[in-house]
Amino acid sequence: MPDFHAIADAVAAEIASGKLAAGSRLPPQRTFADNWGIAASTASRVYAELTRRGLVTGEVGRGTFVRAPETLRAVRISEAADAPIDLQLAISSSLEQAALMAPALHSLAGPAALWEALCAASPFGPDGAGPAVAHFLATSRWTPDPAGILFAGGGRQAIACALAALCQPGDRLGVEPLTYPSMIRIAARLGLQLVPIQIDDQGIDLEALARTHAAKPLAAIYIQPTLHNPLGISMTPERRQALGHWLETAGLHCIEDATFAFLSDATPLAAYAPDRVVYVNSMQKRLAPGIGVGFVAAPRPVKDAIAAVMRAGGWMAPSLAVRLVMSWIADGTAVRVAGLKRKDARARQALAARILGAERVPARTDAFHAWLELPPAWSADAFTAAAAQQGVAITSSGAFAVTPGRAPNAVRLALSAAPLKDLEQGLQVLRALLATTPNDAPIE
């Protein structure tokens, strides 16, 4: 007799494929039990599991219905595939975290507070916001200039503003060979030429960077020195110091994408070259994907140019979202939620290492994602397709490649979004696939 989880997975697959459309009514549990040849108690557990996953909703007196797509996909991004187990989204969210954040909404319940929070947005935020965020982002060795703190409508907007302010259409932008897919798309929209710079396990190769810049000058560089997406590596302090010195000597600006930096104790690159590094961060990963607030910590000579781009593009953070974020910063909620995410990330990294093997997935103890290099029998695209056939969505390395066709034979596994039970099941599926070849895998 099949386990109730397996039956729930089968129903979830029908929902994901559209076979069970949104609004469809599931049969009464006794009928469902008869159809599957299972006990009524098992059918009840299947329905409870589908409800727990957010796939169905029960209405007293009417029955159980498939939830609407906008409800099912509330946290999805455009890159995510329709699979029951989603290991593509590098986000973390839970009811426990939301419970910590909920009280801040009460502070905006009064007309006067809400009226103030609904004022026109400014790139520099409300009075006192710059110093508060500078203190919040500070580490033991670095505190950003409060006058250079800007508020964008999310991490992507922060990156776009920095790129548009530092570069002109046709300019060359130095980047890591594998990088954030949205940055690739943003750069294309801005008419920038991406120039991949060789990296090693400590980050960008300085000799390669110097050679590239000497051969034909770069306008700027964009890198992820802390918990790189997708590789998960972090620059050593020695490499950061050397890169900071090179930036100062070359007179070149660097955009430091610190989206995942809250999961690490590493000193930002900005500490080593404060006049040359534009530091971008966001609250989407740190708090929740729907927050819509990104930060730019900009050196004084370029802050006004970045602010002008924000105004021109309408890329400022909404005032209401900024007020909420400032409240979560002020009362310590942002720190507590980030601590929960960090603890959870470590547990999930340990789970991935246990199931897939530490030799395959070197534990990046704080990362939301893992980089899985594949055996020669598998190509990244074939492995991704085989996983999808078995209900597990992962991301092929090609999505991160700056140069098409030059991606390593690997996939990224986002460990943070799926419920733990689903994550464990998905990792077991991947382990089983790794033990086969494409000819053996059950692909239809």
Side-chain angles (χ1 to χ4, degrees):
M1 180 178 295
D3 176 76
F4 79 93
H5 286 113
I7 299 174
D9 289 343
V11 177
E14 292 185 350
I15 294 173
S17 69
K19 185 175 180 179
L20 282 176
S24 297
R25 180 178 178 176
L26 298 187
Q29 290 185 19
R30 185 169 297 279
T31 303
F32 184 91
D34 291 339
N35 292 343
W36 280 85
I38 57 177
S41 59
T42 303
S44 177
R45 298 180 75 183
V46 171
Y47 278 45
E49 175 65 9
L50 292 170
T51 301
R52 184 192 69 79
R53 297 188 193 182
L55 298 174
V56 301
T57 182
E59 298 181 24
V60 177
R62 293 191 61 215
T64 302
F65 296 83
V66 176
R67 299 181 73 178
E70 61 268 23
T71 304
L72 286 175
R73 303 297 180 231
V75 298
R76 283 197 178 276
I77 56 175
S78 59
E79 294 87 344
D82 289 327
I85 300 177
D86 189 345
L87 304 188
Q88 287 192 312
L89 286 169
I91 60 170
S92 172
S93 184
S94 71
L95 285 176
E96 181 183 10
Q97 296 164 19
L100 289 174
M101 297 163 63
L105 297 172
H106 300 312
S107 66
L108 297 175
L114 182 59
W115 174 76
E116 186 177 2
L118 294 176
C119 65
S122 163
F124 295 97
D127 290 342
V133 170
H135 178 74
F136 175 67
L137 295 176
T139 68
S140 60
R141 294 191 53 190
W142 175 72
T143 300
D145 180 0
I149 299 295
L150 303 167
F151 294 80
R156 299 182 191 189
Q157 289 89 334
I159 293 169
C161 292
L163 288 175
L166 296 177
C167 305
Q168 298 295 321
D171 278 350
R172 288 159 49 86
L173 178 70
V175 294
E176 294 135 329
L178 299 174
T179 192
Y180 179 36
S182 289
M183 193 284 302
I184 298 175
R185 293 191 286 271
I186 292 168
R189 291 288 183 181
L190 294 174
L192 305 181
Q193 179 185 352
L194 297 185
V195 181
I197 309 296
Q198 183 179 338
I199 63 171
D200 57 26
D201 60 359
Q202 297 181 26
I204 203 162
D205 185 302
L206 294 186
E207 290 186 1
L209 175 61
R211 286 195 306 270
T212 301
H213 185 56
K216 188 175 181 180
L218 301 168
I221 63 174
Y222 163 92
I223 61 172
Q224 305 168 81
T226 304
L227 295 177
H228 179 277
N229 178 21
L231 298 175
I233 63 174
S234 293
M235 273 190 181
T236 62
E238 295 76 17
R239 184 68 61 87
R240 292 173 195 249
Q241 184 174 20
L243 176 56
H245 177 73
W246 185 89
L247 292 169
E248 296 281 8
T249 302
L252 201 65
H253 281 104
C254 173
I255 299 169
E256 176 181 8
D257 186 344
T259 298
F260 292 105
F262 74 96
L263 295 169
S264 170
D265 295 324
T267 299
L269 176 64
Y272 299 95
D275 295 330
R276 286 292 158 190
V277 175
V278 176
Y279 175 97
V280 299
N281 206 321
S282 83
M283 300 302 278
Q284 277 100 322
K285 304 294 186 185
R286 190 188 293 257
L287 290 180
I291 296 300
V293 175
F295 302 129
V296 179
R300 293 199 178 216
V302 298
K303 71 178 179 68
D304 289 333
I306 297 174
V309 171
M310 283 189 184
R311 292 189 184 96
W315 287 337
M316 294 92 70
S319 296
L320 182 59
V322 171
R323 293 283 179 172
L324 281 171
V325 165
M326 298 311 299
S327 177
W328 288 320
I329 288 175
D331 67 9
T333 296
V335 171
R336 289 193 291 274
V337 170
L340 288 175
K341 292 179 188 288
R342 195 164 176 172
K343 180 180 179 181
D344 185 54
R346 288 172 177 164
R348 290 165 181 265
Q349 285 281 346
L351 178 65
R354 177 172 63 81
I355 293 176
L356 298 178
E359 71 284 355
R360 280 200 179 110
V361 183
R364 313 293 184 184
T365 55
D366 296 326
F368 274 2
H369 52 275
W371 186 243
L372 177 62
E373 295 185 352
L374 300 174
W378 284 103
S379 70
D381 288 342
F383 190 80
T384 301
Q389 285 285 337
Q390 298 195 43
V392 182
I394 58 179
T395 308
S396 176
S397 57
F400 306 94
V402 172
T403 305
R406 297 291 299 273
N409 193 33
V411 295
R412 191 196 73 167
L413 313 178
L415 308 175
S416 55
L420 268 174
K421 186 175 292 184
D422 290 352
L423 173 62
E424 182 172 7
Q425 181 183 345
L427 292 172
Q428 296 284 6
V429 168
L430 299 181
R431 182 173 70 177
L433 278 178
L434 288 168
T436 68
T437 67
N439 292 333
D440 302 325
I443 304 176
E444 295 182 0

